[in-house]
Amino acid sequence: MIYKFEPYDKSEIIRGHLNLGGANPAGERIDVTNIYLERGGKPWIGVMGEYHFNRDNRENWYKELCKMKAGGISIAATYMFWIYHEEIEGEFDFSGDLDIAKFVDDAAKAGLDLILRIGPWAHGECRNGGFPDWLVKKPYKLRDNNKEYMEKARIWYEKIYEQVKGKFYKDGGNIIGIQLENELVNNAEHLLALKKLAVEVGYDVPLYTVTGWNSKYGAKIPVDDVLPVFSAYAEAPWAKGIKTLPLSHNFVFDKTRNDHAVGTDIINETDESGWRLPYEKYPYAMCELGPGLHPTHHRRPVVSGLDAYAMSLVKLGSGNNLVGYYMYHGGINKIGKLSTFNESKDTGYPNDYPILDYDFHTALTSYGETREQYRLLNILHLFVHDFGEKFATMETVLSTEKVKQDNLEDLRYCMRTDGESGYVFINNYQRLAEIKDHYDVVIDTGKLRFPSIDVKGKISFFLPFNMDLEGNNLEYATAQPLCRLDNVFFFMAIDGIKPQYKFSNEEVIETEAGMDSVVSYKNIKIVTLTGEQAAYTRKLSGSLYIGNSCDLYEIDGKIKAVQNGRYSYYKWNGESFESFEVHIDFKEASISFEDIDEPFTPKYVKELNIGCERKRFWKRLKVTSDSGFVEIPFQCDVEHIYDANNNLLADRYYNGENWRIPASLLYGKESYLVMSEMRDDFYREF
């Protein structure tokens, strides 16, 4: 069957229409057009990953930021939670694990730009949305332009600024952006007042962002002064009820930027006041593309690697030109002097969250391990870093027939093009559903017709047409572009599709996938990797590596693996891959469990009885060493680990998976696991 597209209507590039942009001391600029961001005068796609410094220990920051860099992140984003730094009014703390200045420096050392999310209100599943309790008790309205609140906001902004002064892009530093507030959908005047306040305090960055989602017509924002950024999640653990939700629309190609825009076909173009966010003024930018999800007590979905990869690929195909993940790295909440810092129903919010756990089931865990998301998403990151300058200029053209998420029969496809060249995107994956296989698929872009392919199984991919490879026109490839190194171009084979390369006026080149599949053509080479090899491919300091079932990263000029123990990897030498082995003696700790009677009333017993009184089951824990990780395999509702002094060491809501804990957290301590009785009062997927 032949598949075609809607007509391509090229947009005019608009520059200088927003009060955004700026230069560093070297003269490089970051600017915003209506289609893409520019850096150094060239189109640029950043890859942003959220990592909350205050939800980790300072000694981990640099190493974890290096892992993020290796995973293709180019911008770190982090929240400033007001309650963490001024829990008691007038007593500010930016020391230890709250040292934002060190975190900014560590990000720079790791080679990352930074976007600072300064609130004042943040959300982030933090108590009061990040507001200190004392502020919540004030008699004036919060998140408002009244004098009293704005005076407190000024002090907060000034205290942050004192820590990060001199670290901005204009100073030669790495802070390129500020996010103002969060999820404020109906108060453009307040958002503008916050920007003016930030500028008065001294913040000076190329990018000022605000969250843009609401419904179809978007949040009310100061349209000329900020860049709206958007979200997409695979599920909604904050939704009411414990039933399976309708299929997510984030797995179909659609130019709509709002995750909350289900049913936009029956929503008016404007709200009752006539408001409509002028999307055409801005590039499609994201800040909360969810490679994971944080569980609520009543909903505990588990996001897979393919969930995250397919959704991110769909958003790229749909026009995304700033890839922004929330969260990319999990964390652990602090406990304050006066209260815990987790969001809960006790604080007036609609959901209960764990006290400490903020793992988010995302690419990098709270304890720095990698998940499948980390590997699969980097396949996309490698591409946008090496080919993003041209790709950013390409606009989305949808298929002739619009496919909705509950349509599991028709092919899901779109393309991004500049009218002559581009990429065809195909997604044959819908979370929690089975999509029909498609045979004899022929994609006709209007400029070129691809050969017939079969689209079978749970796959998501994109294919190039009229792609310039060092002066050679690649008419099409039936493999996915991955990255390049000098004149060597690396592609990834797609499951069930034979890798073929067709250059202008040349015969079709067929090849097999593998590290030895080097094809020479004129002045270039093409290497077609398998999907697994692509998932472990990293570009580090200008060289290309493939880990042998291990995740490589670079720290202080040394190549290391995230995984413990011995590991091996391959490095491209310009002609082929050389193999290397690293021998590190390592023996994983083991854990034993002893059934015991309740040794004490747990400090946070209320959190073990959410929804009802529940039976409690106790085990004494013992680990053999502080090496590596141990697993806790029991089914329950809520799990807490305490030390002998009734201090909470770790917690989580059971989601069907074994709980992985660093052995070092337990070794040398008298520690106890308490689990509350599981009942049929929450949603889980396995």
Side-chain angles (χ1 to χ4, degrees), residues 78-339:
T78 198
Y79 269 132
M80 301 297 303
F81 294 118
W82 195 341
I83 191 172
Y84 273 65
H85 299 276
E86 194 188 6
E87 186 180 7
I88 299 171
E89 187 172 7
E91 296 182 11
F92 284 91
D93 186 1
F94 291 93
S95 64
D97 296 342
L98 305 180
D99 187 351
I100 182 58
K102 182 182 186 300
F103 183 76
V104 174
D105 290 343
D106 283 349
K109 185 179 177 183
L112 296 174
D113 293 321
L114 192 101
I115 288 184
L116 200 57
R117 303 172 77 166
I118 62 175
W121 191 82
H123 196 203
E125 291 71 55
C126 185
R127 182 181 177 90
N128 309 322
F131 280 162
D133 284 7
W134 60 261
L135 182 64
V136 173
K137 295 174 183 176
K138 295 293 185 181
Y140 44 81
K141 186 178 180 180
L142 307 182
R143 307 176 75 185
D144 182 78
N145 282 349
N146 67 76
K147 179 181 177 182
E148 293 84 358
Y149 175 69
M150 291 301 288
E151 285 177 349
K152 290 299 183 182
R154 176 181 288 275
I155 294 171
W156 170 234
Y157 278 11
E158 287 175 343
K159 290 297 183 180
I160 300 171
Y161 180 75
E162 289 171 6
Q163 303 298 313
V164 299
K165 182 180 180 180
K167 302 180 187 296
F168 296 97
Y169 183 71
K170 72 177 183 66
D171 307 311
N174 61 325
I175 301 177
I176 64 169
I178 295 292
Q179 180 176 304
L180 305 163
E181 250 281 345
N182 187 38
E183 299 172 329
L184 189 65
V185 301
N186 59 358
N187 197 335
E189 294 79 9
H190 183 51
L191 292 173
L192 183 59
L194 288 175
K195 180 182 177 182
K196 290 179 177 178
L197 175 60
V199 172
E200 288 175 11
V201 168
Y203 296 91
D204 186 352
V205 292
L207 304 176
Y208 293 88
T209 70
V210 297
T211 49
W213 56 84
N214 185 13
S215 63
K216 185 175 183 178
Y217 35 83
K220 293 180 180 178
I221 67 172
V223 295
D224 295 327
D225 290 274
V226 294
L227 171 65
V229 287
F230 294 89
S231 67
Y233 289 99
E235 219 255 19
W238 53 84
K240 294 180 180 179
I242 61 173
K243 294 182 179 179
T244 302
L245 297 179
L247 296 178
S248 170
H249 68 283
N250 288 317
F251 293 90
V252 296
F253 298 103
D254 185 348
K255 295 182 186 180
T256 303
R257 302 183 190 185
N258 279 307
D259 191 19
H260 297 186
V262 178
T264 53
D265 53 334
I266 58 173
I267 296 176
N268 293 330
E269 287 292 334
T270 62
D271 72 0
E272 62 278 2
S273 70
W275 168 261
R276 174 191 173 276
L277 181 64
Y279 297 99
E280 62 276 4
K281 292 171 70 81
Y282 315 104
Y284 184 178
M286 303 195 75
C287 67
E288 291 196 23
L289 180 54
L293 280 169
H294 198 45
T296 55
H297 186 265
H298 67 290
R299 298 196 67 84
R300 308 178 193 182
V302 175
V303 176
S304 72
L306 191 52
D307 290 342
Y309 176 79
M311 189 167 61
S312 189
L313 182 142
V314 164
K315 296 305 175 184
L316 276 178
S318 299
N320 183 20
N321 268 346
L322 172 61
V323 184
Y325 298 109
Y326 188 100
M327 297 287 296
Y328 186 81
H329 195 302
I332 299 169
N333 296 324
K334 299 291 192 291
I335 293 178
K337 299 174 183 177
L338 306 178
S339 70

Side-chain angles (χ1 to χ4, degrees), residues 44-83:
W44 169 61
I45 299 178
V47 181
M48 181 169 64
E50 191 88 11
Y51 173 34
H52 295 157
F53 72 103
N54 33 38
R55 282 170 161 157
D56 203 350
N57 300 325
R58 63 185 287 133
E59 60 266 24
N60 296 334
W61 293 340
Y62 175 55
K63 178 175 68 176
E64 299 308 305
L65 288 161
C66 288
K67 293 176 188 176
M68 290 173 62
K69 174 75 171 178
I73 299 300
S74 58
I75 307 167
T78 198
Y79 269 132
M80 301 297 303
F81 294 118
W82 195 341
I83 191 172

